[in-house]
Amino acid sequence: EDQVTQSPEALRLQEGESSSLNCSYTVSGLRGLFWYRQDPGKGPEFLFTLYSAGEEKEKERLKATLTKKESFLHITAPKPEDSATYLCAVRNTGGFKTIFGAGTRLFVKA
Amino acid sequence: NAGVTQTPKFQVLKTGQSMTLQCAQDMNHEYMSWYRQDPGMGLRLIHYSVGAGITDQGEVPNGYNVSRSTTEDFPLRLLSAAPSQTSVYFCASSYSKLGGARDTQYFGPGTRLTVL
């Protein structure tokens, strides 16, 4: 059964303090791994899609990486506006369903 | 483009009542889906559609019905509301069911439903 586990559940950082969020996954065949950002009271907003181990993508202070078992979302020198819940999801090659993790709530204090 | 729109934003129902959550997209997307989001559980897929006239069940389909008569609209019907259906509901769409960059999902703003 496809499964996604994110850690930690919550992460508190000082502004400028770099860190990483983890997404461990089990999937029969990976079509894609997705990262989303969700602000309170809003729908998830797409950040990245990764397709194969070794792939990396960057956007401003965020960098996503992928191995055969997990993905990391690295946050470099975060700012308070990076505070949000970050969701990881996978889709397998055999179907049309996307499985989401429970998310990591990130708090960045000025 | 308005993207993915959902109505209503908030709804309170009594146990046993029925209602329809509306979802529409104006991006000519082929794939549409409904999720519910509960604290600590992430997003769980209820139903999805890979095109007009084609729907299938997700992880938690019981108590919900869907239909897709047009490309644009994908309503979610609660047949007889129960307190366990209290949740935030999100509709999402993507260009293609076939994968690659085109299966990036775009989400609506959500409907917050409370069943008393």
Side-chain angles (χ1 to χ4, degrees), chain B residues 31-95:
Chain B
Y31 180 94
M32 296 185 74
S33 54
W34 275 102
Y35 294 87
R36 60 177 290 172
Q37 187 173 37
D38 302 294
M41 299 191 72
L43 289 156
R44 290 183 293 167
L45 183 65
I46 304 171
H47 286 285
Y48 65 95
S49 169
V50 297
I54 307 170
T55 64
D56 205 348
Q57 296 181 351
E59 299 172 77
V60 288
N62 292 341
Y64 307 95
N65 271 359
V66 292
S67 60
R68 182 113 178 257
S69 56
T70 67
T71 300
E72 294 78 20
D73 300 298
F74 190 43
L76 178 71
R77 281 182 287 276
L78 278 70
L79 308 174
S80 177
S84 60
Q85 293 179 304
T86 293
S87 187
V88 181
Y89 291 84
F90 290 101
C91 179
S93 73
S94 62
Y95 184 83

Side-chain angles (χ1 to χ4, degrees), chain A residues 25 50-57 64-68 70:
Chain A
Y25 66 91
L50 302 168
Y51 295 102
S52 58
E55 189 174 0
E56 300 181 352
K57 288 192 176 173
T65 62
L66 181 64
T67 73
K68 289 186 177 180
E70 56 192 350

Side-chain angles (χ1 to χ4, degrees), chain A residues 19-82:
Chain A
S19 188
S20 296
L21 282 56
N22 177 263
C23 172
S24 297
Y25 66 91
T26 303
V27 66
S28 51
L30 184 68
R31 180 196 294 280
L33 183 141
F34 308 89
W35 282 99
Y36 288 85
R37 169 188 171 131
Q38 186 174 25
D39 293 302
K42 295 190 176 181
E45 178 184 345
F46 170 74
L47 292 173
F48 305 108
T49 307
L50 302 168
Y51 295 102
S52 58
E55 189 174 0
E56 300 181 352
K57 288 192 176 173
E58 288 187 67
K59 179 180 179 180
E60 296 180 354
R61 295 177 292 282
L62 300 176
K63 179 180 178 180
T65 62
L66 181 64
T67 73
K68 289 186 177 180
K69 293 184 178 180
E70 56 192 350
S71 176
F72 292 93
L73 185 65
H74 306 277
I75 303 177
T76 301
K79 298 182 178 181
E81 54 261 43
D82 295 322

